[in-house]
Amino acid sequence: RLIGQRGVTHAEAGRVARDRARAEATYAWDATPISTARVAAEVWAQIQKEDWSLVNGALSGWATRLWNFEKYYQYIGVSGGSGIGYGAPAAVGAALANKKYGRLSINLQNDGDLMYAPGVLWTAAHHRIPILFVMNNNRAYHEEVMHMQRMASRRERGIDRADIGSAINDPSIDYVKLAQSMGVHAEGPITNPIDLAPAIRRAIATVKNGEPAL
């Protein structure tokens, strides 16, 4: 009886949290740059009826807040040690494992993380590993940028140098050309949120055809 009551309490708490997340995801829905919440929501709208697997990333937690996880293979977790550069290789490895089951592998990929091992794009193309890379390109190791800003403000040193060693610009990286140079279908960068859903649809069609897409 007590376990049953606790289950009811947890279920209600989960429902409230999910409703709150959906409401918060509408903030800045039409903003440019595109919000991470909208990216997560647009991907979910197109994969929710598929046999999908999130093989890396969460877009600042929005995927785990908005998507409905019901099967053990739908989320493989994280590195366990916050290892930068883990995401892309882990995603391709998981997609290889998912291939024989026909699962749609989704990688919500951070830009800085990919730059540690961009050669995994070639690996995915060479071995015909179907995987969808959705690039979150904020042109920085942004967690580090924000941490440096917080620490600089705390010490009253100004935040004008917080991007040193943390920003990825001047020049900004063209991930579409990077992917295409390694044989991966790619398009972008996408800055208008209206263009997001059609691009995701085209990329998923490529993945369903047995190829990687970014």
Side-chain angles (χ1 to χ4, degrees):
R1 180 180 56 82
L2 292 175
I3 291 174
Q5 290 175 348
R6 190 159 60 239
V8 171
T9 301
H10 281 300
E12 176 61 16
R15 184 193 64 78
V16 171
R18 183 68 60 85
D19 289 344
R20 184 170 60 244
R22 289 194 183 108
E24 292 173 352
T26 64
Y27 302 158
W29 184 256
D30 294 318
T32 299
I34 305 171
S35 72
T36 49
R38 176 152 187 178
V39 176
E42 294 281 13
V43 173
W44 173 242
Q46 297 195 44
I47 69 167
Q48 56 184 301
K49 294 182 180 180
E50 305 284 347
D51 185 22
W52 58 271
S53 175
L54 178 58
V55 291
N56 173 61
L59 288 172
S60 302
W62 282 110
T64 50
R65 293 173 69 189
L66 297 176
W67 299 10
N68 187 24
F69 293 81
E70 295 181 324
K71 300 172 183 176
Y72 71 90
Y73 57 78
Q74 288 180 329
Y75 185 56
I76 71 168
V78 295
S79 68
S82 299
I84 301 177
Y86 159 89
V92 171
L96 176 61
N98 283 332
K99 181 178 179 179
K100 65 181 179 180
Y101 300 106
R103 293 172 187 152
L104 178 59
S105 295
I106 312 296
N107 174 20
L108 304 177
Q109 179 64 49
N110 293 327
D111 53 337
D113 181 272
L114 178 62
M115 292 312 297
Y116 279 79
V120 298
L121 294 169
W122 180 89
T123 300
H126 178 74
H127 293 288
R128 305 295 190 272
I129 300 174
I131 178 174
L132 172 63
F133 288 82
V134 180
M135 288 299 302
N136 175 23
N137 183 8
N138 56 27
R139 299 183 177 86
Y141 298 98
H142 230 287
E143 185 173 348
E144 285 71 22
V145 172
M146 292 185 290
H147 176 69
M148 294 300 294
Q149 289 173 338
R150 285 192 298 268
M151 298 307 294
S153 296
R154 184 179 301 174
R155 295 182 170 92
E156 299 181 352
R157 296 176 60 180
I159 64 172
D160 56 305
R161 291 180 292 174
D163 63 343
I164 296 176
S166 301
I168 309 175
N169 54 25
D170 192 25
S172 298
I173 298 168
D174 190 330
Y175 291 96
V176 171
K177 290 182 180 178
L178 176 65
Q180 290 173 344
S181 75
M182 299 192 190
V184 175
H185 165 87
E187 58 180 287
I190 298 167
T191 56
N192 188 334
I194 296 176
D195 298 330
L196 188 58
I200 294 172
R201 188 175 304 112
R202 289 189 292 269
I204 288 177
T206 298
V207 175
K208 286 185 174 182
N209 198 36
E211 302 283 344
L214 179 145

